Amino acid sequence: MDAVIAGFLERNLPDFVHCFHVEIDGTENDYFSVTANNDVVSVSANCYVSAFHGIYCYLKKYCRVQLSWCGNQSINIDKLVMFNGEYKKKIKQKFRVYMNYCTLNYSMCWWDFERWEKEIDFMAMNGINMPLAVIGSEAVLFETLLEFGFSEREALDSISGPAFWAWQLMTNITGYLPPPSKKYVYERLALGKKLLERYTEFGMYPIQQGFSGHVPALMKKKQGVKLYMQRGWNGFEKTAQLNPIDPFFKTFGTAYLNKLCELMGFYGYIACDPFHEGTPPKQGKKYLYAVGKAISDLYAEFDESTQTEKKTVWVMQSWSMRTDIVKAVDKDRLLILDINSQKTSDNNTVKKYPVVAGMLHNFGGKNAMQGKLKLHCKNSWLELKQNGVNVVGSGMFMEGIEQNPVLYDLQFELLTVDSEMDFDIWLRDYIERRYGGSNSILENAWDLLLQSCYKDSGYEENEVGSAAVSRPQMIPFMTGPCCYAKPFYDTAVLEKAACELLAASSDFSESDGYQFDLCDVTRQVLSNRFYINQLEFADAYRKKDISAVKSIAEKQLELLKDLDYITSFRSEMCLSRWLYDAQSLASDEEEKRYFSFNAKVLITLWGDINRKSYLLYDYSWREWSGLIKGYYYERWNMFYGRVIHCLENGKRFKDREFNNYGIRMKHLKYPLGKEIGEFERKWCEKYEEISQYPADRNVVSAAEALLKKYI
């Protein structure tokens, strides 16, 4: 058996390796064909990805398999199901792209190769053939800077830490929480090379990191070049940008590309987003056109100098796309990732270029239950195509994974279908695969979920917050800079859904997918209840009802402990897993502490709280066990204590409700805000060694007790 196929089967279906017969014919168009008889599953396909996708589609359709990051994390079947006839599929999307830059840090920054290997198999099973592949680019930048007169320490100080590197690649920051030694950048290089080896072994098209002009500000002193300073991003220091039409841009860019080729190899697709969420140094169409031409010429000349067989293709996100830059690039040298499928359909110039239709869900890796499931079934690839866009692929560009498993199962399926999907049929199939069966109770639970957290109107998918983890206020308005704390649906409907899901436990409690979902919906019920209780707290405060204020505060703190407790039943919802993975990736004690600090800062402060201009704190909030009790609980405890103290002493509570994240910074001007800010900083700095990965436990009894308590 082919070694690549054998390896895939041994990792994912070890008991059935010899029950599969796979043939790859090497034809151009993506397809698979599956037959299953006489205890053998035969798969023919044009390439490895199509074959592995065919195997997974067969497992879903006939063996009722559902793989997920959240429960059901491995294939568990007793037998392979035989069937009559042929199961086949042609895939019209040439490219199926995976990962936003942010995904790499909000969810993946602590993955070792074993975890990445599992994800790459999962990508292939879902038909993905174009992953973002920028891990290891730290070393490319490091060695390139050394060539331009930087010392090792200066070059390291120009590299952001493992939890923040994505935003440096997007030109937002430079050298935030830099690594303590060069050992780190070469560890990233070693991992990145392994990933590229597997991607290319599978026949995927990895997207590597290009050069858009972002350099350390120290470059001005080292090389005497003129730099343009981008406006500060979310309060961080301004970043330096080479003007793409300056000759030094080509000098440094060529050196960078040569170093990339030397250290990691070069595979043809190169990510580059000039002025991402920033301001060009000059305005006007003429200048922007010159920028596009300069960058495109850089790649063309690199092709010529290295005599590559294929043209380098510039891969550009649509998020900060500028039409005049696009116009300067030949159509066969540009691939546009329309990451939310909203930037190209009305742009008559851009829609003629090759475009990937994307799905953008979940800012920051937060775990609120939410998603417009029925709307997704309309298929953004099809909608762009019908609107005249030259759509050549589909993609998933969420900022964080490991939440809302139903939405991602749906999205993975949409990557390779060319029509609208019947949601009702799909959902019935999903329920059966997710739980190992179905009944009227489960179906009713999901009907209620569709009427509440998964409804299709009344909210934006990336703006769903949580009062429980908001920075304490009388009535939390926002959680972080873009999430609204108030539930967007009738919370009583979700509570009914939770009770229905619990009622199915006698038949489905052995299902890992069921265990995760019951834990998740119980978590969401308690989270919603915190907001409702807080309205009562604010009312009691206005009435100066000290007894009620104390009673509700005590009830809220108890609820936070219960929220922490219920999430402890699933490893996916444990802070200890996040920290354990961070520490396990480290090669020595110094790195353990460095990685842990990065891990804690990302999901809380997102910047030094003493720098009062930083605006992103709480952006990446998580309702996780350990984080709730150790961090959010303590903030609320300080808040309630201060409010009660003021009431008891006839003082005015000097706080206010803040209606946007910029004004929230004023919180630090109050004594309570300063106290909370000092606590947050110390919490991030405190190192605690995590010696054990959290275990999953049966959640039914705990969920039953808490739902009875709060409903």
Side-chain angles (χ1 to χ4, degrees):
M1 183 183 291
D2 179 293
V4 175
I5 296 168
F8 172 85
L9 293 172
E10 286 167 359
R11 289 189 298 273
N12 297 284
L13 292 154
D15 296 334
F16 302 99
V17 173
H18 300 293
C19 299
F20 284 87
H21 177 72
V22 182
E23 291 186 353
I24 307 295
D25 61 27
T27 53
E28 182 178 355
N29 296 323
D30 291 339
Y31 86 96
F32 69 76
S33 173
V34 182
T35 59
N37 50 65
N38 299 322
D39 295 326
V40 175
V41 178
S42 298
V43 181
S44 60
N46 68 301
C47 64
Y48 289 127
V49 170
S50 296
F52 300 153
H53 182 50
I55 290 172
Y56 184 48
C57 287
Y58 154 78
L59 292 170
K60 288 167 64 178
K61 184 177 179 65
Y62 294 101
C63 303
R64 317 309 294 146
V65 166
Q66 194 268 335
L67 274 178
S68 172
W69 308 296
C70 306
N72 298 345
Q73 294 181 20
S74 60
I75 299 171
N76 294 307
I77 55 175
D78 297 324
K79 64 178 181 179
L80 297 176
V81 176
M82 301 294 106
F83 65 92
N84 295 323
E86 179 185 22
Y87 174 38
K88 58 184 179 180
K89 180 178 183 180
K90 293 181 179 179
I91 305 172
K92 294 185 179 180
Q93 297 90 337
K94 179 179 180 181
F95 302 117
R96 285 84 65 188
V97 188
Y98 185 54
M99 286 180 283
N100 185 317
Y101 279 96
C102 303
T103 326
L104 293 165
N105 281 161
Y106 284 134
S107 297
M108 301 170 171
C109 52
W110 313 122
W111 288 5
D112 58 13
F113 180 70
E114 182 180 357
R115 177 62 185 89
W116 270 109
E117 184 175 53
K118 185 176 181 179
E119 191 73 9
I120 296 170
D121 285 347
F122 188 49
M123 292 181 205
M125 282 189 266
N126 285 289
I128 290 164
N129 64 359
M130 183 173 265
L132 184 63
V134 297
I135 292 174
S137 55
E138 298 94 333
V140 179
L141 177 60
F142 175 72
E143 292 203 2
T144 306
L145 291 175
L146 295 182
E147 291 183 3
F148 286 84
F150 282 62
S151 69
E152 288 190 352
R153 188 63 258 168
E154 289 169 337
L156 286 174
D157 286 341
S158 303
I159 293 170
S160 294
F164 298 93
W165 180 238
W167 292 276
Q168 179 152 341
L169 296 178
M170 291 187 285
T171 77
N172 302 136
I173 59 177
T174 305
Y176 181 65
L177 300 186
S181 73
K182 68 178 181 180
K183 175 168 62 72
Y184 165 74
V185 300
Y186 290 109
E187 290 167 352
R188 301 304 288 170
L189 176 63
L191 176 59
K193 290 171 71 173
K194 284 185 177 180
L195 300 184
L196 282 167
E197 182 179 353
R198 181 58 54 83
Y199 290 146
T200 54
E201 182 180 76
F202 276 18
M204 295 178 172
Y205 309 101
I207 302 171
Q208 296 177 276
Q209 182 61 33
F211 178 68
S212 63
H214 181 43
V215 294
L218 186 59
M219 188 65 73
K220 180 178 181 179
K221 179 180 178 182
K222 292 293 183 181
Q223 295 294 322
V225 295
K226 183 176 181 180
L227 298 177
Y228 293 91
M229 302 308 293
Q230 299 258 43
R231 64 186 180 191
W233 178 79
N234 284 302
F236 281 82
E237 294 179 1
K238 294 180 179 180
T239 54
Q241 185 84 17
L242 287 170
N243 190 337
I245 61 176
D246 185 315
F248 187 74
F249 177 92
K250 184 179 292 184
T251 300
F252 189 88
T254 299
Y256 175 90
L257 293 174
N258 285 333
K259 186 61 66 174
L260 175 66
C261 191
E262 174 192 337
L263 294 180
M264 304 190 72
F266 189 73
Y267 300 99
Y269 291 91
I270 196 86
C272 178
D273 296 290
F275 320 126
H276 176 81
E277 294 190 353
T279 305
K282 294 182 182 179
Q283 298 299 317
K285 296 181 178 182
K286 185 177 180 180
Y287 173 75
L288 292 175
Y289 185 91
V291 168
K293 190 173 189 310
I295 295 175
S296 183
D297 287 349
L298 170 67
Y299 296 141
E301 291 178 21
F302 174 74
D303 287 347
E304 186 176 343
S305 66
T306 56
Q307 297 182 334
T308 56
E309 296 180 2
K310 299 179 180 179
K311 289 183 179 179
T312 295
V313 176
W314 175 359
V315 182
M316 178 190 296
Q317 294 182 96
S318 65
W319 197 248
S320 299
M321 176 183 65
R322 291 165 173 84
T323 302
D324 293 292
I325 292 179
V326 172
K327 286 180 180 179
V329 189
D330 292 341
K331 291 183 177 64
D332 62 346
R333 281 193 172 273
L334 187 66
L335 178 64
I336 297 172
L337 307 181
D338 194 349
I339 62 177
N340 61 358
S341 294
Q342 295 176 7
K343 301 286 187 178
T344 58
S345 60
D346 296 326
N347 190 320
N348 290 326
T349 296
V350 172
K351 69 197 305 183
K352 297 175 184 178
Y353 283 77
V355 171
V356 169
M359 182 280 295
L360 175 61
H361 174 269
N362 187 274
F363 285 171
K366 300 162 286 227
N367 61 328
M369 292 182 70
Q370 51 93 22
K372 300 179 179 181
L373 301 179
K374 290 184 179 180
L375 289 182
H376 283 282
C377 277
K378 291 185 177 180
N379 193 341
S380 59
W381 178 86
L382 179 63
E383 289 184 320
L384 288 186
K385 192 176 184 68
Q386 291 173 340
N387 200 31
V389 179
N390 180 22
V391 59
V392 297
S394 53
M396 291 174 62
F397 303 104
M398 58 279 137
E399 286 196 3
I401 60 173
E402 298 177 328
Q403 35 76 30
N404 291 288
V406 61
L407 185 137
Y408 291 93
D409 194 276
L410 174 60
Q411 278 298 332
F412 277 127
E413 192 152 330
L414 284 164
L415 287 176
T416 56
V417 299
D418 55 11
S419 62
E420 287 190 22
M421 291 173 56
D422 187 311
F423 177 74
D424 293 332
I425 293 174
W426 179 86
L427 183 62
R428 287 196 295 272
D429 177 78
Y430 172 81
I431 292 170
E432 184 176 319
R433 291 186 295 109
R434 179 73 173 165
Y435 305 133
S438 184
N439 60 22
S440 60
I441 300 175
L442 281 179
E443 290 176 1
N444 189 44
W446 273 95
D447 283 342
L448 293 167
L449 289 173
L450 292 173
Q451 295 171 38
S452 53
C453 62
Y454 290 126
K455 69 176 187 174
D456 282 339
S457 62
Y459 69 105
E460 293 295 330
E461 285 184 312
N462 296 314
E463 295 181 354
V464 180
S466 161
V469 302
S470 297
R471 211 148 190 268
Q473 301 153 42
M474 279 293 174
I475 302 176
F477 185 75
M478 301 197 77
T479 313
C482 65
C483 292
Y484 294 92
K486 182 180 179 179
F488 59 90
Y489 51 86
D490 184 347
T491 58
V493 177
L494 184 78
E495 291 172 356
K496 291 179 182 177
C499 292
E500 287 290 280
L501 195 61
L502 176 65
S505 63
S506 59
D507 292 328
F508 299 103
S509 63
E510 296 301 313
S511 160
D512 194 43
Y514 174 84
Q515 287 285 331
F516 178 89
D517 290 353
L518 180 60
C519 183
D520 201 25
V521 74
T522 305
R523 173 202 58 75
Q524 191 64 59
V525 165
L526 269 61
S527 180
N528 293 344
R529 181 66 64 174
F530 189 91
Y531 179 84
I532 296 168
N533 291 350
Q534 196 60 27
L535 297 179
E536 297 177 2
F537 180 87
D539 185 60
Y541 171 76
R542 283 192 292 268
K543 294 176 180 177
K544 295 186 173 7
D545 186 340
I546 297 178
S547 177
V549 164
K550 288 182 176 180
S551 175
I552 297 169
E554 184 177 344
K555 181 166 62 174
Q556 289 289 72
L557 292 173
E558 183 179 357
L559 191 156
L560 288 173
K561 289 181 179 179
D562 287 339
L563 190 55
D564 189 89
Y565 171 67
I566 195 65
T567 51
S568 72
F569 282 80
R570 294 299 309 185
S571 59
E572 302 97 329
M573 300 185 209
C574 287
L575 172 66
S576 58
R577 182 194 68 147
W578 179 252
L579 296 178
Y580 178 88
D581 286 346
Q583 294 173 17
S584 296
L585 189 65
S587 59
D588 57 31
E589 188 65 24
E590 182 181 46
E591 274 196 346
K592 278 187 177 183
R593 293 176 178 273
Y594 171 61
F595 287 0
S596 287
F597 183 61
N598 268 258
K600 295 174 89 172
V601 169
L602 178 69
I603 59 176
T604 55
L605 301 183
W606 226 117
D608 181 356
I609 200 66
N610 295 317
R611 294 287 300 278
K612 297 182 182 181
S613 59
Y614 286 170
L615 303 177
L616 286 174
Y617 61 80
D618 291 336
Y619 179 88
S620 184
W621 62 264
R622 318 285 171 97
E623 287 187 345
W624 280 354
S625 179
L627 189 59
I628 297 167
K629 188 175 181 179
Y631 190 78
Y632 301 124
Y633 174 95
E634 294 298 334
R635 298 198 308 191
W636 278 107
N637 191 33
M638 293 177 199
F639 172 84
Y640 292 131
R642 181 67 181 172
V643 173
I644 292 169
H645 171 80
C646 288
L647 280 176
E648 289 180 333
N649 291 276
K651 296 181 179 179
R652 183 172 66 88
F653 178 60
K654 295 180 181 179
D655 196 10
R656 57 172 293 180
E657 297 169 24
F658 305 120
N659 60 6
N660 66 59
Y661 76 100
I663 296 175
R664 289 170 71 247
M665 298 309 298
K666 293 182 179 179
H667 201 121
L668 293 172
K669 295 182 178 180
Y670 297 98
L672 173 63
K674 292 179 181 178
E675 181 184 2
I676 291 176
E678 183 66 12
F679 161 75
E680 291 168 330
R681 182 183 62 80
K682 289 181 178 179
W683 184 87
C684 286
E685 291 174 346
K686 183 180 179 181
Y687 173 73
E688 179 182 1
E689 186 164 355
I690 309 298
S691 60
Q692 190 172 0
Y693 193 90
D696 294 328
R697 297 173 288 154
N698 190 307
V699 75
V700 173
S701 295
E704 182 177 22
L706 289 176
L707 291 175
K708 183 178 180 180
K709 179 177 179 179
Y710 287 101
I711 296 178

